[in-house]
Amino acid sequence: MSGKDGDVARRGRGDRLIKEEIHDPYVARSKPREPTICPECRAVFRKGRWQWSEESDGDAHEMMCPACERIRDDMPGGILTLSGTFLAKHRDEILKLIFNKVEEEKGLHPINRLMGIEDGRSGELVVKFTDLHLARSTGESIERAYDGDLDIQYTKESNLVRVYWKRST
């Protein structure tokens, strides 16, 4: 088409184009061949997802899983920052809750893992996860168990969730 009708057709088609959003670089653009095994953690991509497997896949394709890539690059998907005087008094209990939550999740979803725990400034505890959902759900578990104030901030641009929990007394 040309002229006025062609301009309308192009505008109409342009309105239907899907605008690409910023994507997580740790999510594969296509699914790996099955079976694929991660050379670092030995998780296996099978039946459309990463999973733990007791079976040995001698002929499996090798590819690093998204969790191991994030750990290697020190690029967390979620960061949980804990603070307040309550934290100092109950640190061991809270850490136990975090480790239990991580073990439960990791058993079901190999790419949802704990990357590390660091002492932050002013007595804060900074917990890094490979997955944004694990950071959020761990923060929610701490809030359910110990009350306090929970703030969840998700930034689409960086594919990162920052979760803040604080309790003073």
Side-chain angles (χ1 to χ4, degrees):
M1 282 185 187
S2 63
K4 190 174 170 183
D5 293 335
D7 292 339
V8 171
R10 278 192 293 278
R11 273 193 308 243
R13 184 179 61 232
D15 292 342
R16 290 189 310 254
L17 291 177
I18 298 171
K19 293 183 180 172
E20 187 170 330
E21 295 194 22
I22 297 169
H23 293 284
D24 186 346
Y26 294 96
V27 174
R29 300 265 185 239
S30 61
K31 291 185 178 186
R33 233 175 29 200
E34 293 190 26
T36 292
I37 192 164
C38 175
E40 296 292 317
C41 69
R42 309 309 289 172
V44 177
F45 187 85
R46 181 183 291 128
K47 297 181 183 173
R49 68 183 189 93
W50 288 97
Q51 52 191 294
W52 300 116
S53 177
E54 297 296 321
E55 299 172 29
S56 176
D57 287 320
D59 61 338
H61 176 67
E62 282 196 2
M63 181 178 109
M64 195 175 285
C65 74
C68 288
E69 285 181 336
R70 281 189 179 278
I71 292 167
R72 176 198 65 206
D73 298 343
D74 193 27
M75 292 295 295
I79 299 172
L80 170 62
T81 303
L82 309 167
S83 63
T85 54
F86 184 87
L87 172 64
K89 296 175 187 171
H90 300 274
R91 181 183 169 107
D92 290 342
E93 295 169 41
I94 293 171
L95 283 171
K96 192 175 207 176
L97 186 148
I98 291 169
F99 289 129
N100 287 339
K101 179 75 176 170
V102 166
E103 282 305 307
E104 175 186 324
E105 185 69 19
K106 182 181 169 187
L108 299 171
H109 305 285
I111 61 172
N112 298 354
R113 294 191 223 150
L114 175 69
M115 290 177 64
I117 299 176
E118 303 166 1
D119 289 314
R121 56 183 158 73
S122 307
E124 292 177 335
L125 199 59
V126 179
V127 187
K128 297 192 285 185
F129 301 92
T130 59
D131 178 72
L132 60 103
H133 303 293
L134 183 54
R136 187 198 71 238
S137 66
T138 302
E140 290 170 346
S141 293
I142 292 169
E143 182 189 36
R144 276 193 304 278
Y146 301 106
D147 293 321
D149 297 316
L150 186 69
D151 181 30
I152 301 171
Q153 300 174 4
Y154 176 72
T155 54
K156 261 185 162 177
E157 296 81 28
S158 62
N159 287 302
L160 174 72
V161 68
R162 290 186 181 272
V163 180
Y164 299 92
W165 177 85
K166 182 176 186 171
R167 180 171 168 191
S168 293
T169 52

